[in-house]
Amino acid sequence: RPLQPQALRYAAEGVAHLLPLQRALQRELGDPNGDLVVRRSANYVQYAHLNAVEFSAPDLSWLRPGAPICAMLAARRPDAAFFKLNHSALKGAVVDPDDLSEFQDLQPGEVATCRVKSLSDCQQIVHLQREGHGELMFDYRKREMRRLPPRHELDTAHPERQSSMYGFGRAGGGAPPMVMERSSYKEEKPEVIFKRGKRGAVKFRNTGIAPPRPKSEEF
C-alpha cells in the first residue's frame, strides 16, 4: 500500500546520516575509497564459517595439545594476543613470548591456522601456537611469516664441505707438523768468518738484532 508522506519522511531522516557517517569513518581510517573497510568486512563474513566442523558437536574432548584449529585475531597487547574461535564459551589466547613472536604479521580480523597448546583450568581459554611453531621466521622485507625448510632439504641443497685447513698441524710421513716460513729468501752469509792476515783468526758474525742502547739520563 502507498505510505503516507510522514512515514516516508521518517524513513529518510532515519538513514540520511549514514552517508556522512561513512565518509567520516573513512577519513579516520585513512581509507577514502572504503576498500579497506570492505576487505575487513569480508573477513568477518568468513568468520561465520570458522571452525564450523570442529564445533559441530558440543563435545570438546578433541581440544587436546596439537589439535588443529583456526583463530581470528580480535585484540593485541605487547604481552598477549586474543582470538575469536566462533564458539560462545571459548576464547583463544597467546601469552608466551616465543609463541607471540610468530603472530607479529597478523592484523586484527585476520585468520591464522593454529594448534592447541593447552586448555585452561576453567575450560574457557584455549592457549594457541601457530601452525609450524619453531620453524617460522618473520620476513621484514615482505612483512610476513615464512616457514623455514626442513633440515634435510638444507643439507641436500647445501652439503657440508671439508675445510681446506683440515689436518693442518698433524704430523704425517715423518715430516714435521709445521714448517716455519723463512723471513727472507736472500742468500744467507756464514756465521763463522776467517779473517785473512791475522793467522786465520776466527770471528763470529752477529746475526741477531742488537737492542737499542739506553740514552743517558741528563740532570
Side-chain angles (χ1 to χ4, degrees):
R1 59 184 177 86
L3 298 177
Q4 297 294 326
Q6 295 83 357
L8 294 175
R9 182 177 180 179
Y10 176 79
E13 291 177 350
V15 297
H17 67 284
L18 293 181
L19 290 178
L21 179 60
Q22 179 190 13
R23 290 191 289 268
L25 289 175
Q26 291 174 356
R27 286 195 302 270
E28 291 293 330
L29 295 174
D31 181 28
N33 297 326
D35 297 336
L36 180 61
V37 176
V38 172
R39 289 197 301 269
R40 291 187 176 181
S41 300
N43 292 337
Y44 284 96
V45 171
Q46 298 173 2
Y47 175 75
H49 307 283
L50 190 71
N51 299 322
V53 176
E54 289 79 359
F55 294 131
S56 58
D59 183 21
L60 299 178
S61 59
W62 62 272
L63 283 174
R64 298 188 180 92
I69 190 172
C70 294
M72 174 183 281
L73 181 62
R76 184 199 298 274
R77 296 188 322 203
D79 58 343
F82 303 96
F83 295 81
K84 293 182 176 182
L85 305 177
N86 196 18
H87 191 279
S88 59
L90 292 175
K91 302 292 185 294
V94 178
V95 295
D96 186 89
D98 293 336
D99 300 338
L100 190 62
S101 65
E102 297 177 341
F103 290 91
Q104 55 184 310
D105 66 321
L106 211 63
Q107 300 299 323
E110 295 181 347
V111 177
T113 304
C114 305
R115 294 277 177 176
V116 176
K117 182 178 182 180
S118 62
L119 192 62
S120 64
D121 296 335
C122 64
Q123 304 293 309
Q124 294 182 351
I125 304 297
V126 182
H127 296 278
L128 302 172
Q129 285 181 333
R130 196 159 187 177
E131 178 70 26
H133 171 68
E135 300 177 355
L136 299 176
M137 178 195 68
F138 184 66
D139 190 333
Y140 284 90
R141 185 172 60 88
K142 296 184 178 180
R143 309 299 299 175
E144 63 181 15
M145 299 300 298
R146 298 181 59 186
R147 191 159 186 168
L148 297 175
R151 179 67 183 182
H152 67 275
E153 292 185 6
L154 291 176
D155 293 340
T156 304
H158 306 282
E160 294 184 0
R161 294 183 298 177
Q162 194 176 61
S163 173
S164 59
M165 300 294 291
Y166 181 77
F168 183 76
R170 296 183 180 180
M178 297 181 66
V179 178
M180 184 173 293
E181 186 178 358
R182 295 169 54 182
S183 59
S184 175
Y185 288 90
K186 293 182 179 180
E187 183 181 357
E188 296 182 358
K189 296 181 179 180
E191 297 181 1
V192 180
I193 304 173
F194 296 92
K195 288 288 186 179
R196 296 179 180 180
K198 293 187 178 180
R199 299 180 181 178
V202 179
K203 182 180 179 181
F204 294 93
R205 187 190 305 275
N206 185 8
T207 59
I209 300 176
R213 295 180 180 181
K215 294 181 179 180
S216 59
E217 298 181 359
E218 299 180 358
F219 297 94

